[in-house]
């Protein structure tokens, strides 16, 4: 019970920190009515007490991450709670969880760009940033799982002297290409959408006399001048990269799921695993985007850019993704009883065994709790939105725990050690990656506009023309 208790305490702490940042941000940051001033908050000299306290808390998480990594390098993976037959634990649980958040956020942003939906103006920018930060957190786990992470280059197909090439049947090689493609495509998608706004930041910084900032923004803007040719090439490139995101997400998430399906473990060796990982990961990513929208809307005064209609649609999308997860859970329960005896017993052990509270908790938080967002009264409450969004993300984490550890609960060998329970260093590493994720998003909000300025101007022009 110590693990779930820590999770509950951590989730409560996250909710309290989010609500505190929301409250302090309202006091510390002036909220004007001009959207142009709201999105140029990064050029302000002072950023409010909410940002300061939030950055301090996230920095403590990064220090925990550094401590966990150094301890792992000095001692080795024996610090973790994994044992036979539980050869996979927090390293894979958290990796799959972070990848699911990144995939859902990227998929959401890419579809909005391809469909040219109006919601992209409000949420695309920080959804893409959240995806990139989640990928950075996920990329740590396959490297640290090696035990000797300084030799991670051995999984690369480099021209070795003895021609000892990586074993393609190793899932570590799959992780390498999955993460590498995810980082490249997600970074391009995020950066391509930023280029026009970086040029605007360059010009505004020069007008305010901040020449160093103007030079840095200008370097990143790649000489953007806003000509017709520039706009045509930018829109074509933006939609091309958004189209590349879709197959990349399917392949990256499927690679993670195939790590389970390629084994002979009865509860994993099934074709439903890739679909389960993809579909159940959607509420986590959308829940994180929902929480970020609420916090940014309240702390930076972006009510005119992230309006009530945007929040309503975002809440309904989160509830719809949760409803799809609920249908999938029901379908899996039905299909499990139609499988062979070994698979049926393994599924029953995961649902009714020692890890059953985690599985049922994942179903409740991921698939049932977000259904409250169909209510307009719930959607209008910032506290309720934060609770439901973080709850959906926590529920997917519980599901991954039940999938990884519960799948190995019944083995065909004599039990050598106790059931898997995460150790203190593993919890420290998880909290450290959460701190890394939060720090990346806070620095993003401090240095770059969190809402697309060129999309905002486009929407304003369309409104005036109408």
């Amino acid at each position: 019970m110590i693990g779930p208790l820590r999770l509950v305490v951590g989730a409560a702490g996250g909710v309290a920190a989010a609500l505190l940042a929301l409250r302090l941000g309202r006091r510390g940051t002036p909220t004007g009515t001009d959207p142009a001033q709201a999105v140029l908050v990064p050029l302000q000299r002072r950023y409010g007490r909410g940002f300061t306290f939030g950055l301090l808390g996230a920095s403590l998480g990064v220090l925990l991450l550094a401590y966990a990594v150094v301890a792992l390098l000095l001692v080795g993976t024996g610090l973790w709670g994994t044992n036979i037959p539980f050869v996979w634990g927090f390293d894979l649980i958290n990796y799959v969880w972070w990848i699911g958040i990144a995939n859902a956020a990227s998929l959401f942003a890419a579809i909005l760009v391809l469909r040219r939906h109006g919601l992209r103006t409000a949420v695309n920018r920080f959804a893409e940033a959240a995806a990139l930060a989640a990928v950075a957190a996920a990329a740590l786990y396959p490297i640290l799982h090696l035990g000797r992470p300084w030799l991670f280059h051995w999984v690369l197909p480099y021209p070795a002297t003895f021609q000892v090439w990586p074993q393609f049947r190793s899932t570590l090689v799959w992780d390498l290409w999955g993460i590498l493609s995810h980082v490249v495509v997600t970074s391009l998608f995020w950066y391509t959408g930023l280029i026009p706004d970086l040029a605007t930041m360059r010009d505004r910084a020069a007008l305010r006399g901040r020449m160093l900032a103007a030079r840095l923004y200008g370097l990143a803007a790649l000489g953007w001048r806003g000509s017709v040719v520039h706009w045509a090439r930018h829109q074509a490139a933006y939609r091309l990269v958004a189209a590349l995101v879709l197959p990349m997400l399917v392949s990256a998430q499927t690679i993670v799921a195939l790590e389970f399906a390629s084994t002979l473990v009865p509860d994993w060796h099934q074709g439903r695993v890739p679909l389960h990982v993809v579909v159940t990961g959607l509420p986590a990513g959308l829940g994180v985007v929902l929480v970020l929208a609420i916090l940014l809307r309240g702390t930076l005064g972006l009510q005119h850019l992230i309006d009530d209609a945007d929040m309503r649609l975002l809440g309904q999308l989160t509830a719809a993704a949760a409803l799809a997860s609920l249908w999938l859970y029901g379908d899996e329960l039905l299909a499990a009883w139609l499988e062979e005896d070994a698979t049926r017993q393994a599924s029953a052990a995961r649902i009714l065994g020692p890890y059953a509270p985690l599985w049922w908790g994942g179903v409740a938080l991921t698939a049932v709790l977000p259904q409250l967002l169909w209510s307009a009264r719930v959607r209008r409450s910032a506290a309720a939105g934060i609770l439901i969004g973080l709850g959906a993300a926590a529920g997917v984490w519980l599901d991954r725990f039940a999938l990884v550890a519960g799948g190995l609960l019944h083995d065909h060998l004599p039990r050598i050690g106790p059931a898997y329970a995460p150790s203190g260093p593993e919890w420290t590493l998880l909290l450290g990656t959460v701190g890394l994720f939060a720090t990346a998003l806070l620095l993003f909000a401090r240095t770059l506009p969190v809402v697309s300025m060129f999309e905002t101007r486009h929407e304003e022009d369309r409104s005036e023309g109408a």
Side-chain angles (χ1 to χ4, degrees):
M1 294 299 296
I2 298 298
L5 181 60
R6 286 180 177 176
L7 180 65
V8 172
V9 173
V15 173
L19 293 177
L20 179 62
L22 186 64
R23 184 178 182 86
L24 292 176
R26 286 172 175 169
R27 294 178 179 177
T29 304
T31 57
T33 58
D34 185 6
Q37 294 299 323
V39 294
L40 289 177
V41 172
L43 294 179
Q44 295 178 0
R45 299 286 182 179
R46 301 181 62 183
Y47 212 55
R49 291 177 294 171
F51 174 81
T52 303
F53 284 109
L55 185 60
L56 286 176
S59 300
L60 291 178
V62 175
L63 291 177
L64 286 177
L65 175 63
Y67 169 77
V69 171
V70 171
L72 182 66
L73 295 178
L74 294 177
V75 180
T77 55
L79 284 172
W80 294 350
T82 51
N83 53 65
I84 298 176
F86 297 95
V87 293
W88 284 344
F90 256 30
D91 50 338
L92 191 60
I93 293 169
N94 298 329
Y95 169 61
V96 178
W97 182 60
W98 281 119
I99 283 293
I101 292 176
N103 282 351
S106 294
L107 177 64
F108 175 61
I111 291 177
L112 292 180
V113 170
L114 293 175
R115 293 293 304 273
R116 298 185 182 273
H117 197 281
L119 185 60
R120 73 184 187 276
T121 303
V123 303
N124 250 43
R125 180 63 51 76
F126 57 83
E128 295 165 12
L132 192 59
V135 170
L140 292 174
Y141 283 98
I143 296 176
L144 296 177
H145 174 72
L146 294 173
R148 292 185 290 176
W150 55 89
L151 300 178
F152 73 94
H153 61 278
W154 283 6
V155 299
L156 295 169
Y158 67 98
T161 304
F162 297 102
Q163 296 186 355
V164 181
W165 306 106
Q167 175 56 265
F168 186 74
R169 288 179 293 180
S170 171
T171 56
L172 290 173
V173 179
W174 305 353
D175 287 334
L176 167 71
W177 293 109
I179 286 290
L180 191 61
S181 62
H182 210 312
V183 170
V184 171
V185 176
T186 304
S187 301
L188 282 175
F189 185 43
W190 176 71
Y191 179 67
T192 303
L194 268 174
I195 292 176
D197 287 355
L198 290 172
T200 302
M201 299 291 289
R202 172 199 63 200
D203 300 337
R204 296 297 179 91
L207 290 175
R208 297 188 178 198
R210 302 184 60 179
M211 301 311 299
L212 177 59
R215 293 190 183 96
L216 293 177
Y217 285 125
L219 182 64
L222 303 178
W224 177 274
R225 294 300 174 187
S227 66
V228 176
V229 176
H230 285 184
W231 278 113
R233 291 175 178 174
H234 174 266
Q235 290 301 304
Y238 198 26
R239 291 176 62 82
L240 175 62
V241 178
L244 289 176
V245 168
L246 301 181
M248 182 275 300
L249 294 180
V250 175
S251 63
Q253 195 80 325
T254 304
I255 286 172
V256 173
L258 286 177
E259 295 181 2
F260 300 97
S262 61
T263 68
L264 296 178
V265 177
D267 197 30
W268 294 350
H269 193 65
Q270 300 181 51
R272 66 167 176 82
V273 177
L275 181 63
H276 175 90
V277 174
V278 172
V279 175
T280 57
L282 292 177
L286 292 176
V288 170
V289 173
L290 177 64
V291 171
L292 291 176
I294 294 172
L295 291 176
L296 294 174
R297 189 172 186 255
T299 57
L300 301 183
L302 303 181
Q303 289 83 359
H304 290 76
L305 300 176
I306 309 175
D307 57 23
D308 293 339
D310 296 328
M311 296 303 300
R312 181 181 68 253
L313 182 55
L314 184 55
Q316 290 174 345
L317 287 173
T318 305
L323 193 61
S325 299
L326 183 61
W327 179 88
L328 184 65
Y329 280 120
D331 178 73
E332 290 176 354
L333 288 176
L334 177 61
W337 294 107
L338 301 177
E339 294 284 349
E340 57 186 9
D341 290 340
T343 303
R344 187 185 306 116
Q345 293 173 5
S347 298
R350 182 158 59 94
I351 297 171
L352 304 175
Y355 296 110
L358 300 180
W359 188 86
W360 289 106
V363 173
L365 292 176
T366 302
V368 178
L369 181 63
Q371 301 309 315
L372 296 175
L373 291 172
W374 294 114
S375 170
R377 182 177 181 181
V378 174
R379 289 196 304 269
R380 286 193 293 266
S381 173
I386 291 174
L387 284 170
I388 294 174
L390 293 179
V396 174
W397 186 88
L398 291 175
D399 175 84
R400 302 300 183 257
F401 197 114
L403 177 66
V404 175
L408 294 170
L409 184 61
H410 289 278
D411 59 290
H412 301 282
L413 296 174
R415 180 65 55 83
I416 297 177
Y420 171 72
S423 62
E426 288 178 292
W427 283 106
T428 303
L429 187 61
L430 172 60
L431 294 176
T433 55
V434 173
L436 177 65
F437 177 79
T439 301
L441 290 180
L442 287 171
L443 293 178
F444 157 73
R446 186 64 181 93
T447 57
L448 298 169
V450 297
V451 175
S452 175
M453 289 187 286
F454 76 89
E455 294 282 5
T456 301
R457 289 193 292 266
H458 177 67
E459 291 293 332
E460 290 177 347
D461 292 341
R462 290 181 60 184
S463 300
E464 291 175 0

